Amino acid sequence: MTMSDWSAVTRPIPVPNELTRPFWDSARQGVLALQRCQACGAFQHPPYATCVKCMAIDLKFEPVSGKGAIYAYTIMYHAGDRRFAAAIPYASIIVELDDAPGALLAANLLEAPYTEAKVGRRVEVVFEPLNDDITLPQFLLARDTT
Amino acid sequence: MWEHRCKVALSGVGFSRVTRSAEVPLAAHALEAVKGAVEDSGLAMSDIDGLATYPELPATGHAVVDGVTIVSVNCMMAMLKLPNLSWHVQVETVNIGGAVQQAANALLAGVCRYAVVWRAMHNPKGTYQNLPGTHANGPTQFTAPYGFGGPGQGMAVAYTRWLERHNQNREKMATLAVTQRRHSHKNPHAYFCGQPLTREDYLKSRMVAYPFCLYDCDIPVQGAVAIVLTTADRARDLRPRPAYLAGYGQRLAFEVAGRIGSLSSYMEGGRSSSRLTWERSGFSPKDVDVAQIYDGFSASVIYGLESYGFCKEGEALDFIQDGRMELDGELPLNTFGGSLSTGRIHGLWHIIEGALQASGRAGERQVKDVNVSFVGASAPIVQGTTFIFVREPY
Ligand SMILES: [Zn+2]
């Protein structure tokens, strides 16, 4: 059995701040939106006060498709974070979206054996509500691999 | 080249006892190391007029108690009551290597004459990364909900990218762990001195955060190390042969907090720091006789070897094979055992070994005919610094 059991994990709940609130507001509505520089067009994540490419401060959150590839991953075998002890081993992944090269999102690979995590594997976003306010973007193996 | 090359030298070095857990307050370890370094130089404590450190405990969720979990500059000032103190600094962004560089700058500026730099590291009781709580604030809001709990995982994700992009095999890392452990048997101060580690031990050890197994991670310990830095002309009058500072650099790359896993950021950090060091010293990787490269997690050595220019990207795991990192190899590496064998004291021990090798004071583990000694003192990405020490000023 190589599926991680998430049922007994209580995930820490993100606390939005001035920079990050639009990300979480969109996620709650089932939309993945990332910060985009209106001057040079670059996406970035996590959100930041200025564009890390060109220093512009005109940044807006824009929806992205939610399709991408695993940029990197680790499989956790050690319950260093005791809140996740029930799920080990589990795959924590870093996703690079097709629409937002260079912006890297952390997530878990859900509904697949953790051994399916591989660099370059196609994934797509899915939304996991934690409570009424916060919904986590997560990723599944892409159904359509093209 | 740097007009100040070889005008500052590392003189005395000192070590405390390294224990697995805290048996005495950390301040006692720091004092033991500092006194040892001052004595090694043949100086009196009253000669010391500069102090620098990086005190951070890289564990989370533990109370900070100065003198017990960290040893700050203020703590050291209060303990030593130096009659001639004229300069001090505590750095934040570039780890302990930054404290060494600031001390060198202060010596060059003439605002102190004999500076002591120490690194003291505590091993807290219980889980090292103690992450209680129901909420994730600040940069952790994008990582903690997914079970990214500590620096090891951030390093591990970059390592999977490196391994799979370059079609490499993590089992080759056994050579690093095993060779460094063998080096540490010639370093009486190392935590694992005398405890063997075989290739089979490495390959069979439990996985922590794939691709890291237990022996890819340095062991948390309680201990301290310290150095005396002074100007080259003063160093020549002291007891030990000086190791001259030929050049240094610090990472110029930048990473937004909470963005993890970027292999290119590790590489950029290492390239920027080492470029400054090569330019300032006038040397290049092929001139290096011995290297110490920070190894809090084993993969740091890989990013270091490649980004500093010792081998091409994707080749570092092959580079360390075939005896190349042995004491008589082409590039003797982490000759004191590295953090993997000394225990987690951060990069000041790498700096110490770099200097001891340059001055011919490394004892049983001394590499033959060393002139150019290279040090990468922290993981290249966030806090990287690099140094070159030489035996002969030029
Ligand atoms: Zn821009």
Side-chain angles (χ1 to χ4, degrees):
Chain A
M1 186 61 183
T2 56
M3 299 285 275
S4 310
D5 178 7
W6 295 99
S7 61
V9 171
T10 307
R11 296 178 187 275
I13 295 166
V15 180
N17 59 31
E18 298 86 329
L19 281 175
T20 67
R21 191 172 304 284
F23 176 91
W24 297 113
D25 286 347
S26 297
R28 192 178 55 213
Q29 291 158 35
V31 175
L32 188 59
L34 299 187
Q35 199 181 34
R36 187 176 202 184
C37 175
Q38 302 300 299
C40 77
F43 281 95
Q44 60 189 21
H45 183 81
Y48 201 63
T50 58
C51 171
V52 299
K53 285 225 167 63
C54 79
M55 293 190 291
I57 56 167
D58 186 8
L59 299 157
K60 289 195 170 68
F61 283 79
E62 294 185 9
V64 290
S65 81
K67 288 183 192 300
I70 296 179
Y71 173 92
Y73 68 94
T74 178
I75 300 167
M76 285 305 292
Y77 288 84
H78 169 69
D81 185 339
R82 290 191 299 269
R83 297 169 297 196
F84 287 79
I88 57 170
Y90 63 88
S92 289
I93 63 174
I94 304 294
V95 174
E96 188 168 37
L97 297 166
D98 298 344
D99 289 354
L104 299 178
L105 277 83
N108 298 115
L109 182 64
L110 299 183
E111 296 176 29
Y114 57 84
T115 48
E116 291 296 304
K118 291 287 167 207
V119 173
R121 184 70 53 90
R122 298 290 300 165
V123 290
E124 61 190 28
V125 76
V126 65
F127 292 92
E128 178 186 0
L130 292 189
N131 60 26
D132 289 347
D133 292 325
I134 296 291
T135 292
L136 279 187
Q138 288 279 26
F139 285 85
L140 308 175
L141 292 175
R143 283 157 295 190
D144 171 9
T145 55
T146 57
Chain B
M1 277 202 290
W2 188 30
E3 63 173 302
H4 296 300
R5 70 182 187 281
C6 304
K7 290 188 181 164
V8 167
L10 197 155
S11 176
V13 302
F15 307 88
S16 82
R17 214 157 49 100
V18 175
T19 57
R20 179 75 167 109
S21 53
E23 294 164 17
V24 295
L26 189 61
H29 292 264
L31 275 178
E32 187 183 356
V34 167
K35 284 179 181 167
V38 172
E39 201 175 294
D40 185 36
S41 274
L43 290 166
M45 202 54 92
S46 55
D47 293 317
I48 303 305
D49 56 4
L51 294 175
T53 196
Y54 169 81
E56 188 225 9
L57 174 66
T60 43
H62 300 278
V64 173
V65 182
D66 205 355
V68 176
T69 66
I70 65 163
V71 179
S72 71
V73 164
N74 283 339
C75 177
M76 189 60 76
M77 283 170 66
M79 292 192 293
L80 297 180
K81 296 188 182 61
L82 297 169
N84 297 308
L85 184 65
S86 62
W87 174 87
H88 58 83
V89 76
Q90 184 164 303
V91 304
E92 183 171 338
T93 60
V94 274
N95 209 299
I96 193 64
V100 172
Q101 295 177 358
Q102 286 303 308
N105 294 348
L107 290 160
L108 289 168
V111 296
C112 65
R113 297 177 307 165
Y114 301 99
V116 163
V117 184
W118 69 95
R119 181 66 169 118
M121 193 76 94
H122 174 61
N123 184 15
K125 284 199 174 68
T127 310
Y128 199 79
Q129 304 298 347
N130 183 29
L131 301 152
T134 54
H135 288 77
N137 283 283
T140 68
Q141 68 188 279
F142 294 110
T143 54
Y146 305 104
F148 280 98
Q153 284 156 279
M155 193 72 83
V157 284
Y159 188 31
T160 54
R161 178 149 183 100
W162 184 90
L163 284 167
E164 294 184 23
R165 259 188 78 213
H166 299 302
N167 197 24
Q168 277 288 358
N169 180 349
R170 64 169 289 280
E171 297 192 351
K172 292 180 186 172
M173 192 69 93
T175 303
L176 186 91
V178 168
T179 310
Q180 288 191 189
R181 180 62 67 87
R182 202 156 7 84
H183 291 340
S184 80
H185 299 330
K186 296 179 174 173
N187 178 3
H189 301 291
Y191 179 77
F192 281 120
C193 179
Q195 295 185 47
L197 179 75
T198 66
R199 188 169 295 273
E200 187 158 70
D201 292 334
Y202 178 90
L203 296 175
K204 283 186 172 168
S205 80
R206 70 182 167 86
M207 203 55 77
V208 175
Y210 174 88
F212 289 146
C213 68
L214 189 63
Y215 296 114
D216 290 306
C217 313
D218 62 354
I219 187 170
V221 293
Q222 170 108 346
V225 296
I227 60 173
V228 172
L229 281 172
T230 186
T231 53
D233 50 344
R234 289 187 182 99
R236 277 188 277 272
D237 295 334
L238 299 181
R239 186 185 296 156
R241 186 186 174 106
Y244 296 93
L245 178 62
Y248 70 68
Q250 59 196 133
R251 58 95 192 171
L252 306 174
F254 152 86
E255 190 59 286
V256 175
R259 184 176 191 263
I260 58 173
S262 168
L263 178 57
S264 54
S265 297
Y266 281 98
M267 301 305 287
E268 190 46 41
R271 273 193 293 267
S272 55
S273 177
S274 61
R275 176 177 51 77
L276 294 169
T277 305
W278 302 129
E279 283 174 7
R280 287 171 180 161
S281 67
F283 292 113
S284 71
K286 64 173 180 357
D287 300 316
V288 171
D289 299 312
V290 59
Q292 318 302 326
I293 299 183
Y294 179 72
D295 60 324
F297 295 99
S298 60
S300 258
V301 179
I302 300 309
Y303 312 142
L305 284 169
E306 296 181 359
S307 64
Y308 302 150
F310 289 102
C311 63
K312 292 204 186 88
E313 271 188 58
E315 294 181 356
L317 274 189
D318 292 319
F319 181 84
I320 61 170
Q321 309 300 325
D322 307 320
R324 195 172 271 116
M325 62 178 286
E326 299 285 348
L327 296 180
D328 59 355
E330 197 178 308
L331 186 70
L333 180 60
N334 288 342
T335 49
F336 65 115
S339 296
L340 294 179
S341 291
T342 60
R344 182 177 300 161
I345 310 279
H346 271 177
L348 191 56
W349 211 327
H350 297 74
I351 291 169
I352 287 174
E353 180 72 1
L356 290 178
Q357 289 286 350
S359 57
R361 297 210 297 145
E364 265 191 275
R365 57 183 193 280
Q366 179 66 47
V367 171
K368 282 203 183 74
D369 303 324
V370 171
N371 184 38
V372 181
S373 181
F374 179 91
V375 181
S378 295
I381 184 174
V382 275
Q383 299 182 317
T385 53
T386 45
F387 299 82
I388 287 179
F389 293 96
V390 293
R391 181 178 178 84
E392 303 293 347
Y394 58 101

